[in-house]
Each structure stands twice: as structure tokens, then as C-alpha cells.
Amino acid sequence: MFNRTRCLQTAAALASISLLAGCGVLSEDDEKGNQKLVVGTTSSPSTLDPAAAWDGSWELYRNVYQTLLAFPTGSTKPQPDAAQSCEFTDSANESYRCVLRKGLKFSNGEALDAKAVKHSFDRIRTINSKVGPKDLFGSLERIETSGDLTVVFHLSTPDATFPFVLGSPAASLVAPKEYPADALRTDGKVTGSGPYLLQAYEDKKRAELVRNPDYTGFANRRNDSVTITYFDDSAKMVAALKAKEIDATYRGLTAEEIKDLQGAEARKQGIQVVEGYGAEIRYLVFNPKDPAVAKPAVREAVAQIIDRGALVAKIYRGTAEPLYSMVPKGVASHKTPFYDRFGQPSVSKAKAILREAGITDPVRLTLFYTTDRYGSSTAGEFEEIKRQLDASGLFEVTIEGKPWKVFQEGYKSGEYPVFGRGWFPDFPDPDNFIAPFVGKENAVGTPYDAKEITTELLPQSRRQGDRGAVGKQFERAQEILAEDVRLLPLWQGKLYVAAGEDIGGGERALDPQTVMQMWELYRKTSW
């Protein structure tokens, strides 16, 4: 996610929902079913225009924009949303046809028809934003419309994952009259057809969502409105939660805060915390333009030194687990190639790697991270990485934190030699943990010419409609990533849902992209 990124980006490397218990006395509005909730988060949108975001902005998009397909709770395969039906029309997986539901319209009254769908996708590629989701549509060659309801996507190569992309917020549908074909919308408003309308918005402060009366889709809304409050610090967010100024917190909690919410005092307040599987990952990116990390030995030495177990224990206190592949545990084809190759952390082995490459002086590295996207624990994480590398005597490390917008422009422009990123899946398939990071243009802004992956393994896997039959390709791809060490996986986050006794739906609120589905939350009408 975000970044997709999915962010698709918590401080504790997790997607967490903490729902505060109510007072036990229901208001008249609640008794009448007028459900109003307030949710806090530390991850505010970078933009309201889907053509320019592949990050945590998707949290908002999922709730205000509609997509042709979507992932209802519990589903790992895309299901119809704005579309009535979608299917490949050829055996080669190169032509994908969707038929829209009848009578759909955007919140400005404009028809959501085949022309609007074509407009939505064409503008992503025309605008070609460096931080937008255009790379997700790399296989899309052209779009054909037939009548008002039929859209056919013609692909340049077979791509069985294309329906998954259509189910992500990258494929958000927008109203042609409000969203220029060749420029971003900049008035701070949203015109969509999703479950909610964006009634009011203040950048980095709040988003007011109200039920869209004209919505037609899969979402069963269990509340009437949601106010999303954006915090610049998780401590302020937790304080607001405890003061009952907000009903819930979502994204940005540190490990210490999660432990606190799992404690006895929180239980006395009626807070329950549920731990679940998460596919969010954290990793380092090495930029080959930098003279130091262009050398494989330097990257291998870093991989040999970093102690993931110590990092997770010290910074994340059990709210995450060590990760030895870009494909996380719980996703099909997951292996542990980095552990298989490097084993336990070893300074002596790292020293031998550097000496064999003729490197005898300490290697100077600057590591960059974002200060306001993944949460408050990120600074501590990079301090620990610096400590481990410096303690080896083989590196002299400097770390620099940047605000997300500055950080995003910097890594996309190739300015940073080593930087930390988080990844939330755009869709639940191993392809989404391999393909976005390789090729000339990719999600991390550093060209990675992994030819075996891009010209053999991915094309082979995308010809296969049965996603359970692509294990060999992705196992080999993981091995290649470990051999090259252009990306270094660090840890995998867990999901936490903490709910008060009067709040329901928390266990259903995260879709397979760990994007918050606000419509699943509700206040119980009785105890």
C-alpha cells in the first residue's frame, strides 16, 4: 500500500484497531440505529486523487471510492462490486471483460458508466505520477467500451493477477466531470460512488464520512457516519482514546501502547484485544547508484549482521516477528531464503565477506526513514539497526528521518543510498510481494533488472489462472532476491483488534489488503 500501501504503515508494523468500550448506557440515537463512530489514526492521506497515491491514502479511498471488483471480508479472491460480472474472455488471460451494474452514479449525479471507467484508468496512465499506482497496470495495453455497461481491458501480456489489481483501491473509479483527464484534482474534494460520501475534509486533521444514499455494491454498512481524526503522534491519539474523545484508534500504535491496551487497566475499561495474522512487512532498500551499496559484499555484510530477533524483541516486543523473505508467512509459496543463506547473525562472517571483496575500512552508510508514515516506533527501529551495524566495527552509520512527502519524493528520485519501507499487500497473492519491486520502474524507485524474474518467472505465473499452481516460480523468485540482496526483509507485523464491549465488527473491519472497511464497525444496541 501501500505503498501500497496498501498502507497500506503502522508504527509497530502492524495494522491495528483499538476500539474503546462505551459507557454501557446507550443514547437515543443509538437506540434508533443512528450509528456514529470516531476513528483515530496517525496515517493521513497524501492526496485525495487516486491517480497519485500508492500508499496509506488507500485507507480513505476504500471507503469513498468504488472499484469494479473488491474483497469482501473473508475473501481472498476478488468479487463484483461496481461490476455485475467480470471474466477473462480468452484462454491466454489477455482480454478481461466487465459488465457494470445498471443505474450506478457518482455523488455529483454523473453516470458511472463504461466511459467513466475508461476515463478513470486512462488518466492514471496519462498523468503518470511518480508516486501513483500506474506500475500496477503495467500489463494494460488499452481499454475498449461497448455500450454503456461493458468494458474490455486488453492486456499486452497474459496476466491472471489483473482481476486482483481491479479489486484494489488503485482502481478507484472517479467522475469524469470532476477529475481532469491529464491533471490531478486539487480542490480537496472527492466525487465517488463508494459506501460513504466525504462530507468534509481538513488535511492532516479530519475526514467526515456519511452514508452514501445512492451506493450500490457489496458493502453492508453497519453505521451511518464515521469521523476519521488524523494525529501527528500516537501518544496524543491514545490519550484521546482514553479520554473518550474518539471511539477507536486505527494505525500508528507503538508496541508499548498495544501492550498497555492489553493490560489489566485497559481490561477494566472494557477493552478487549484480539491478535490476528498480518501480511504487512518492513524491509530495507539498497540503491545501486550509491558507490558503497552497489557492491554486493556490502549488502551481504549488512544482511549477515542484522539481528531481526533482537530488533523485534527490543522495539516491537512481540507485536511482530522476524521475516526472511519478501513473501511473508501466511501467503502462498512463503520460504525463508535469507535465513537459508545467511543463517544466524555473525560479525565474523560479515567481516570475511567484506575482506574477500577487498574492503578493509569501515563502510560509511546513511540510512533514511520516514517520520510520519509508519508510526512512532520507526525511529527506534532505525536506531537499533544503526546500533547493530556500528557495534560490528565494520560500518559507520548515520540515520536521517524525513516527512513522508519529502521521503517519498527522495526515494523515487534515487537520492537515498539505503532506506526503509513498509509494504501492505495490494492484493493477497505472492505476485504482489515480488513484482512491485523488480523491473526498470518499480514501487521503490530503484531500477532492479532481475531478468529471470521479469522475463521468465512472472510471465509464467501470470499465465496460470490457478494461483495455487505457481509455487515453483515464486519459490525461485525468493531465492533470487536473497542472492542479490537488493531488498532486505526485516519483519512481519501482526494485526490487533481491540474492541469495547459495546463495539462490534472489529474482527471484520480489515480486508485482505489490511485496509480499514469502516462499514463493518457498529455500536451494539444492547449488551
Side-chain angles (χ1 to χ4, degrees):
M1 157 263 269
F2 162 40
N3 176 43
R4 233 286 300 110
T5 215
R6 224 164 29 23
C7 95
L8 104 245
Q9 308 120 340
T10 65
L14 31 96
S16 51
I17 312 167
S18 304
L19 304 177
L20 185 65
C23 302
V25 178
L26 300 174
S27 68
E28 183 177 347
D29 280 348
D30 290 329
E31 290 175 347
K32 293 179 179 179
N34 190 1
Q35 295 276 341
K36 298 180 179 180
L37 298 175
V38 182
V39 176
T41 176
T42 61
S43 182
S44 62
S46 58
T47 175
L48 297 182
D49 193 326
W54 192 357
D55 58 23
S57 305
W58 284 15
E59 300 289 0
L60 181 62
Y61 297 172
R62 174 54 79 200
N63 293 280
V64 296
Y65 293 109
Q66 201 168 12
T67 47
L68 291 171
L69 301 172
F71 293 92
T73 300
S75 173
T76 57
K77 293 183 179 181
Q79 307 294 326
D81 187 9
Q84 175 180 301
S85 64
C86 290
E87 63 181 351
F88 279 105
T89 60
D90 64 333
S91 59
N93 293 335
E94 292 182 331
S95 180
Y96 195 71
R97 180 178 62 205
C98 289
V99 178
L100 295 169
R101 297 176 188 263
K102 294 181 180 180
L104 294 179
K105 61 181 180 179
F106 294 102
S107 55
N108 65 346
E110 190 174 353
L112 198 174
D113 56 14
K115 290 182 180 179
V117 172
K118 185 177 187 302
H119 174 85
S120 299
F121 287 93
D122 283 347
R123 68 187 298 269
I124 291 173
R125 298 189 296 165
T126 300
I127 293 170
N128 198 28
S129 169
K130 286 200 303 183
V131 294
K134 60 181 175 58
D135 292 341
L136 277 171
F137 302 99
S139 65
L140 179 58
E141 186 175 77
R142 62 186 176 88
I143 303 171
E144 176 187 359
T145 63
S146 177
D148 293 334
L149 301 178
T150 302
V151 183
V152 180
F153 298 91
H154 295 283
L155 310 181
S156 58
T157 59
D159 188 359
T161 70
F162 190 73
F164 290 82
V165 178
L166 292 186
S168 75
S172 295
L173 303 175
V174 299
K177 291 182 180 179
E178 307 286 354
Y179 292 81
D182 57 358
L184 296 175
R185 183 175 183 175
T186 58
D187 63 358
K189 297 181 180 179
V190 163
T191 306
S193 60
Y196 297 97
L197 304 177
L198 184 63
Q199 187 176 59
Y201 180 77
E202 291 182 73
D203 187 36
K204 297 186 182 302
K205 293 183 178 180
R206 68 184 178 94
E208 298 279 355
L209 308 184
V210 296
R211 183 187 287 243
N212 180 0
D214 298 317
Y215 170 71
T216 301
F218 78 94
N220 178 23
R221 293 163 297 181
R222 309 189 73 179
N223 58 62
D224 296 294
S225 67
V226 178
T227 298
I228 305 174
T229 303
Y230 300 111
F231 292 86
D232 59 6
D233 181 81
S234 62
K236 296 177 183 177
M237 182 171 65
V238 171
L241 178 66
K242 292 182 176 180
K244 300 184 180 181
E245 296 169 358
I246 59 177
D247 295 308
T249 68
Y250 174 64
R251 293 211 186 283
L253 297 175
T254 66
E256 289 76 14
E257 289 161 349
I258 290 169
K259 292 296 183 183
D260 174 57
L261 292 171
Q262 291 175 323
E265 186 61 32
R267 288 196 295 273
K268 289 181 182 178
Q269 296 175 339
I271 298 174
Q272 56 176 328
V273 180
V274 179
E275 178 182 309
Y277 155 76
E280 174 195 7
I281 68 173
R282 290 290 190 278
Y283 58 97
L284 293 180
V285 181
F286 296 99
N287 186 348
K289 292 182 180 179
D290 181 78
V293 299
K295 301 172 182 176
V298 172
R299 306 194 300 265
E300 291 168 5
V302 173
Q304 188 64 74
I305 290 171
I306 288 182
D307 187 338
R308 295 170 176 81
L311 176 66
V312 168
K314 183 175 181 179
I315 305 301
Y316 296 108
R317 300 176 59 190
T319 60
E321 57 184 309
L323 181 64
Y324 298 94
S325 169
M326 290 298 289
V327 178
K329 185 185 298 183
V331 174
S333 306
H334 165 76
K335 295 294 180 182
T336 57
F338 279 86
Y339 186 85
D340 298 340
R341 184 175 184 199
F342 296 102
Q344 293 293 331
S346 172
V347 172
S348 62
K349 289 182 180 179
K351 184 175 182 180
I353 291 170
L354 292 173
R355 297 299 181 262
E356 185 177 347
I359 302 172
T360 56
D361 295 330
V363 179
R364 294 183 178 180
L365 291 180
T366 301
L367 277 58
F368 289 80
Y369 67 94
T370 179
T371 57
D372 58 351
R373 175 56 52 176
Y374 304 134
S376 304
S377 294
T378 310
E381 175 183 345
F382 275 78
E383 288 285 358
E384 174 60 15
I385 292 173
K386 168 181 166 58
R387 185 196 68 76
Q388 292 183 13
L389 293 174
D390 285 347
S392 72
L394 302 174
F395 291 90
E396 293 179 357
V397 175
T398 301
I399 56 176
E400 290 191 27
K402 302 283 186 180
W404 174 249
K405 288 190 176 181
V406 176
F407 176 80
Q408 194 176 35
E409 289 290 339
Y411 78 72
K412 280 288 186 178
S413 300
E415 296 177 14
Y416 308 148
V418 187
F419 56 95
R421 286 294 313 276
W423 186 255
F424 292 85
D426 301 314
F427 51 86
D429 187 278
D431 184 285
N432 196 235
F433 292 93
I434 301 292
F437 308 113
V438 296
K440 184 178 180 180
E441 294 185 357
N442 58 46
V444 294
T446 57
Y448 181 11
D449 189 19
K451 287 187 177 180
E452 184 179 349
I453 296 177
T454 58
T455 64
E456 297 180 31
L457 301 176
L458 288 176
Q460 289 170 11
S461 70
R462 288 175 174 179
R463 293 188 188 99
Q464 180 58 258
D466 179 4
R467 304 308 294 163
V470 295
K472 290 184 178 179
Q473 287 88 353
F474 288 113
E475 289 172 13
R476 173 57 186 152
Q478 290 172 80
E479 292 175 356
I480 293 171
L481 295 183
E483 292 166 2
D484 295 344
V485 198
R486 286 284 304 277
L487 305 159
L488 184 62
L490 297 173
W491 52 263
Q492 173 178 355
K494 299 177 183 178
L495 299 181
Y496 290 86
V497 177
E501 294 174 343
D502 69 333
I503 298 294
E507 73 286 350
R508 296 177 54 83
L510 293 175
D511 74 357
Q513 301 146 319
T514 64
V515 170
M516 186 71 154
Q517 300 181 142
M518 297 294 182
W519 58 83
E520 293 285 3
L521 301 178
Y522 65 95
R523 196 181 305 279
K524 298 176 183 178
T525 56
S526 62
W527 287 36

